[in-house]
């Protein structure tokens, strides 16, 4: 993460400009402000370590201090407003393409990627350049079809000249396959390097982050037909720092710029106010707005396919695929709490580089073993899992900001300790509370109870059933055990890059031996390592039995 001017972050808090609807939100604002203060303090000492490539905020141009979440969001939104998305033929000359476009103004940044064909994202120096470019674009001539005459910043480049050029250089937008990752990790020399390597392979890159904001900006152009002052902002893993290449794009239609702009009514004299349609609930307003925007996206949105309106969900949304970017999109409205959770996770990720690395590693491990899934269901969500990692980090003793000398050892130790922590956590009795950083008695019967940090009466993991929790615990036990084994703790390569056997983190991503366990066994309150030892014995005897039957 690149940082920019510290002076800028000491400006008026960005939280103060947002209208807060819920009771008790001032407490939430205080809580986030204090996380942000801690972040600023720690960033002063951790700056070198926190600078990793390709996350939100790179290319900011200023590198001498941290930016607030909202400043980063605003910068990315501004870039997106000045950008266009162009479908190109792969064998177009990059030079000719840039010369052609620069007739409309200076190009600040461009890159190519593949998704059902090759696309270019081009950012101009100012919005007028985009207006000029759009004015020069023709309406396609079609003979057998009809078109919706909606003009957007999604264009196609037509090449009327002959001659072949080399393929355009495309930026990868997806992660490496798991087997390739295992190979890559096995070639590293320490678990710490494996964790960094995994984080680097999985995290969203600069380009992918820009593309996400551009898709939001393109959709905003559609929603602006009804609400000219609206914005559409990404939230969740697209911007919380824990996003993996290929993760979905969660978006939030922000109308607060309209309703929040409330002029003071004068105490005397005349004044005017808008007449507005009234309904009996805020939820109903959200549903109506999403229903109409969903129709627009479905009927007029170029490249938007498979639109589903899921308006009766707890959080109403419109789901669709945006083909030119390849993103699975969820559009919500009136979802400020999710935006706050996103900011909270982002700030925690900024506190210490190990937070992000550990979250990436655990998320990847969980996905590999089917603990999490891209389909909603009775399993642990990535959001719940991230809160579980944060809770674990809060429970560390001593607290998590150590000297740099300790970093390397701790990075390895944290992974083992994470698995031990949840292998023995009293899930049947206790709830995780990241506001207080401690467990407390469960307020309701649910296999896994994680208190929502902003709506404290809610359980973030209400959907999780007991067999999914059992699988999680069994896998934590197995992974803790694997990390303690001398043969998996160190590289076992016998020379040559291609003969390296999976070791360390790579072994945790191989198919599990215990993942199929059903039903939770009653656990005695053993000490962690004792329990791990007994698991070790049981796995060993299982393995010996298997070896004997194999031979
Ligand atoms: P992936 O999409 O799986 O990469 O992770 P994600 O963090 O984006 O999760 P998801 O798309 O499921 O949800 C998007 C965001 O909505 C999360 O980051 C949270 O901010 C918020 N969110 C998701 N589930 C819950 C929940 O149960 N309670 C609350 N308060 N917020 C949630
Ligand atoms: Mg998401």
């Amino acid at each position: 993460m690149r940082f920019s001017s510290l002076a800028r972050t000491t400006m008026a808090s960005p939280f103060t400009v947002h209208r807060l609807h819920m009771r008790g939100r001032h407490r939430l604002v205080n809580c986030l402000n204090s996380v942000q203060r801690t972040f600023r303090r720690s960033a002063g000492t951790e700056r070198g370590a926190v600078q990793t490539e390709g996350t939100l905020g790179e290319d900011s141009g200023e590198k001498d201090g941290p930016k607030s979440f909202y400043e980063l969001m605003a910068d990315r939104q501004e870039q997106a407003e000045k950008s266009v998305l162009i479908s190109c033929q792969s064998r177009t000359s990059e030079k000719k393409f840039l010369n052609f476009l620069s007739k409309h103004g200076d190009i600040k940044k461009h890159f190519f990627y593949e998704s059902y064909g090759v696309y270019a994202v081009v950012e101009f120096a100012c919005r007028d350049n985009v207006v000029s470019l759009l004015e020069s674009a023709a309406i396609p001539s079609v003979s057998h079809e009809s078109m919706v005459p909606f003009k957007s910043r999604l264009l196609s480049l037509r090449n009327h000249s002959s001659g072949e050029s080399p393929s355009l250089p495309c930026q990868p937008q997806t992660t490496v396959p798991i087997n390739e990752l295992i190979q890559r990790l096995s070639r590293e020399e320490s678990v710490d390097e494996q964790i960094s390597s995994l984080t680097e392979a999985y995290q969203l890159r600069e380009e992918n982050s820009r593309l996400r904001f551009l898709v939001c900006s393109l959709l905003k152009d559609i929603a602006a037909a009804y609400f000219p002052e609206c914005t559409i902002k990404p939230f969740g893993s697209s911007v919380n720092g824990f996003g993996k290449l290929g993760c979905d794009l969660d978006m939030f239609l922000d109308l607060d710029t309209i309703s929040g702009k409330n002029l003071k009514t004068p105490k005397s004299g005349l004044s005017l106010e808008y007449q507005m349609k009234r309904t009996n609930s805020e939820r109903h307003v959200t549903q109506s707005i999403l229903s109409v925007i969903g129709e627009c996206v479905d009927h007029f949105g170029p490249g938007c396919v498979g639109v589903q309106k899921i308006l009766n969900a707890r959080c109403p949304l419109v789901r669709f695929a945006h083909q030119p970017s390849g993103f699975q999109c969820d559009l919500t409205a009136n979802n400020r709490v999710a935006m706050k959770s996103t900011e909270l996770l982002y700030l925690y990720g900024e506190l210490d580089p190990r937070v992000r690395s550990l979250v990436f590693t655990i998320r990847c491990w969980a996905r590999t073993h089917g603990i999490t899934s891209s389909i909603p269901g009775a399993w642990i969500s990535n959001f719940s899992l991230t809160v579980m990692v944060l809770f674990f980090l809060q429970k560390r003793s001593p607290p998590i900001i150590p000297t740099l000398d300790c970093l390397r050892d701790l990075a390895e130790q944290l992974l083992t300790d994470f698995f031990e922590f949840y292998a023995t956590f009293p899930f049947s009795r206790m709830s995780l509370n990241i506001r207080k950083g401690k467990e407390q008695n469960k307020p309701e019967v649910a296999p896994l109870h994680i208190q929502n940090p902003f709506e404290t009466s809610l359980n973030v993991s209400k959907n999780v059933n007991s067999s999914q929790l059992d699988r999680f615990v069994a896998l934590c036990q197995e992974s803790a055990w694997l990390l303690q084994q001398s043969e998996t703790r160190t590289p076992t390569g016998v020379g040559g890059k291609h003969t390296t056997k999976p070791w360390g983190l790579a072994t945790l991503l191989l198919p599990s031996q215990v993942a199929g366990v059903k039903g939770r066994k009653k656990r005695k309150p053993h000490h962690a390592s004792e329990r791990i030892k007994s698991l070790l014995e049981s796995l060993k005897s299982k393995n010996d039995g298997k070896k004997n039957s194999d031979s």
Side-chain angles (χ1 to χ4, degrees):
M1 176 63 56
R2 302 274 151 85
F3 291 131
S4 67
S5 163
L6 186 65
R8 294 183 63 183
T9 64
T10 53
M11 293 186 325
S13 160
F15 307 119
T16 53
V17 298
H18 288 277
R19 232 163 50 100
L20 299 170
H21 301 291
M22 273 175 40
R23 253 172 25 144
R25 278 204 181 157
H26 62 279
R27 278 188 308 169
L28 150 70
V29 172
N30 288 342
C31 151
L32 285 173
N33 277 337
S34 96
V35 175
Q36 197 173 45
R37 277 197 299 278
T38 318
F39 156 56
R40 286 175 191 159
R41 273 202 302 273
S42 81
T45 54
E46 295 283 309
R47 196 175 300 147
V50 183
Q51 285 183 357
T52 58
E53 257 190 17
T55 39
L56 190 76
E58 185 167 316
D59 262 14
S60 58
E62 300 165 75
K63 296 182 176 61
D64 53 349
K67 269 188 182 183
S68 77
F69 178 68
Y70 286 103
E71 284 170 323
L72 288 173
M73 293 282 286
D75 282 1
R76 279 276 186 255
Q77 277 174 275
E78 175 73 21
Q79 287 168 348
E81 292 283 299
K82 295 183 292 187
S83 302
V84 291
L85 186 54
I86 305 177
S87 153
C88 311
Q89 277 137 13
S90 150
R91 300 218 167 248
T92 306
S93 150
E94 183 174 3
K95 196 165 159 217
K96 268 195 195 165
F97 173 71
L98 294 176
N99 277 341
F100 171 69
L101 293 184
S102 51
K103 283 188 290 195
H104 301 282
D106 288 343
I107 294 173
K108 274 188 81 178
K109 164 103 186 173
H110 78 282
F111 64 90
F112 302 95
Y113 69 90
E114 246 181 304
S115 166
Y116 303 99
V118 174
Y119 283 85
V121 171
V122 182
E123 185 201 344
F124 283 94
C126 67
R127 288 181 210 203
D128 287 350
N129 306 147
V130 175
V131 174
S132 159
L133 177 94
L134 295 181
E135 278 170 359
S136 77
I139 304 289
S141 54
V142 286
S143 45
H144 302 298
E145 290 169 301
S146 301
M147 283 169 312
V148 177
F150 176 75
K151 290 178 173 178
S152 78
R153 282 178 285 143
L154 173 59
L155 303 152
S156 300
L157 181 77
R158 299 277 169 238
N159 190 351
H160 304 284
S161 48
S162 55
E164 287 255 302
S165 302
S167 299
L168 290 166
C170 287
Q171 298 287 333
Q173 303 294 318
T174 49
T175 51
V176 294
I178 187 72
N179 287 339
E180 202 181 304
L181 180 74
I182 290 174
Q183 284 294 310
R184 199 183 280 188
L185 299 186
S186 302
R187 290 197 287 270
E188 299 294 352
E189 293 190 343
S190 66
V191 173
D192 184 30
E193 283 171 21
Q194 290 185 320
I195 292 175
S196 307
S197 175
L198 182 146
T199 307
E200 200 166 305
Y202 272 31
Q203 72 188 350
L204 294 187
R205 314 244 154 85
E206 149 80 3
E207 287 79 13
N208 198 274
S209 174
R210 279 175 176 263
L211 185 56
R212 286 170 188 268
F213 277 85
L214 177 52
V215 172
C216 290
S217 174
L218 296 177
L219 281 165
K220 188 233 30 182
D221 290 348
I222 300 176
Y226 291 95
F227 305 105
E229 295 162 79
C230 74
T231 50
I232 292 191
K233 294 173 177 157
F235 70 96
S237 60
S238 295
V239 284
N240 66 14
F242 301 118
K244 177 183 146 188
L245 281 169
C247 66
D248 67 356
L249 173 57
D250 302 294
M251 292 175 281
F252 156 56
L253 172 69
D254 188 356
L255 299 173
D256 274 10
T257 34
I258 306 171
S259 48
K261 240 190 234 165
N262 234 344
L263 299 175
K264 274 210 169 122
T265 317
K267 290 212 168 74
S268 60
L270 304 179
S271 70
L272 285 172
E273 62 180 28
Y274 288 100
Q275 280 202 14
M276 288 181 168
K277 190 152 188 129
R278 288 154 202 241
T279 66
N280 51 9
S281 76
E282 211 171 329
R283 179 176 167 82
H284 190 228
V285 175
T286 303
Q287 287 170 325
S288 316
I289 291 172
L290 280 178
S291 175
V292 172
I293 305 292
E295 289 294 315
C296 277
V297 170
D298 193 10
H299 296 295
F300 308 149
C304 300
V305 296
V307 179
Q308 286 171 270
K309 295 196 273 177
I310 309 171
L311 302 179
N312 287 325
R314 190 176 77 84
C315 179
L317 67 115
V318 175
R319 178 165 289 171
F320 58 95
H322 185 256
Q323 272 189 341
S325 62
F327 295 143
Q328 185 64 39
C329 301
D330 278 352
L331 176 65
T332 60
N334 192 17
N335 198 4
R336 241 177 218 299
V337 174
M339 205 69 201
K340 288 289 166 197
S341 322
T342 302
E343 184 187 6
L344 180 73
L345 296 198
Y346 169 81
L347 291 173
Y348 272 126
E350 290 290 283
L351 280 171
D352 186 305
R354 288 165 301 155
V355 176
R356 202 166 272 149
S357 296
L358 190 66
V359 171
F360 268 110
T361 306
I362 300 297
R363 277 193 177 199
C364 172
W365 165 86
R367 177 55 63 93
T368 307
H369 294 296
I371 292 277
T372 56
S373 164
S374 56
I375 310 157
W379 28 85
I380 300 174
S381 71
N382 267 334
F383 179 64
S384 299
L385 193 62
T386 307
V387 176
M388 290 171 86
V389 176
L390 295 177
F391 181 74
F392 158 73
L393 290 172
Q394 289 174 331
K395 299 283 292 177
R396 301 289 304 161
S397 169
I400 199 70
I401 318 281
T403 64
L404 282 180
D405 285 349
C406 302
L407 268 178
R408 188 190 150 114
D409 288 348
L410 264 172
E412 304 201 12
Q413 194 55 43
L414 272 181
L415 193 61
T416 314
D417 288 358
F418 173 86
F419 291 126
E420 281 204 9
F421 182 82
Y422 283 115
T424 53
F425 190 83
F427 285 113
S428 57
R429 286 184 293 114
M430 303 308 246
S431 158
L432 281 60
N433 179 338
I434 65 159
R435 283 189 81 102
K436 298 199 187 321
K438 60 183 185 193
E439 56 266 46
Q440 56 193 32
N441 287 332
K442 267 192 204 177
E444 63 183 44
V445 186
L448 176 61
H449 194 282
I450 304 175
Q451 189 194 64
N452 183 319
F454 299 122
E455 292 165 299
T456 51
S457 61
L458 301 180
N459 173 11
V460 159
S461 50
K462 196 182 165 94
N463 61 315
V464 177
N465 67 21
S466 55
S467 72
Q468 289 300 322
L469 180 65
D470 289 344
R471 290 190 69 244
F472 174 76
V473 172
L475 276 159
C476 284
Q477 290 169 342
E478 184 192 43
S479 296
W481 174 76
L482 282 170
L483 284 172
Q484 284 177 1
Q485 301 315 294
S486 53
E487 64 268 28
T488 51
R489 213 165 41 203
T490 45
T492 49
V494 279
K497 292 212 152 187
H498 303 290
T499 53
T500 313
K501 264 179 56 189
W503 73 278
L505 174 54
T507 49
L508 305 194
L509 304 179
L510 294 171
S512 155
Q513 300 194 31
V514 300
V517 290
K518 290 253 157 36
R520 196 162 357 143
K521 290 184 206 105
K522 286 264 174 285
R523 284 192 298 271
K524 285 187 203 132
H526 283 318
H527 184 264
S529 42
E530 235 178 276
R531 290 179 23 72
I532 303 297
K533 226 183 335 178
S534 67
L535 188 85
L536 178 155
E537 294 308 327
S538 78
L539 282 173
K540 252 193 189 161
S541 51
K542 215 194 281 175
N543 272 350
D544 289 348
K546 192 164 174 276
K547 266 188 216 142
N548 290 341
S549 66
D550 287 350
S551 57

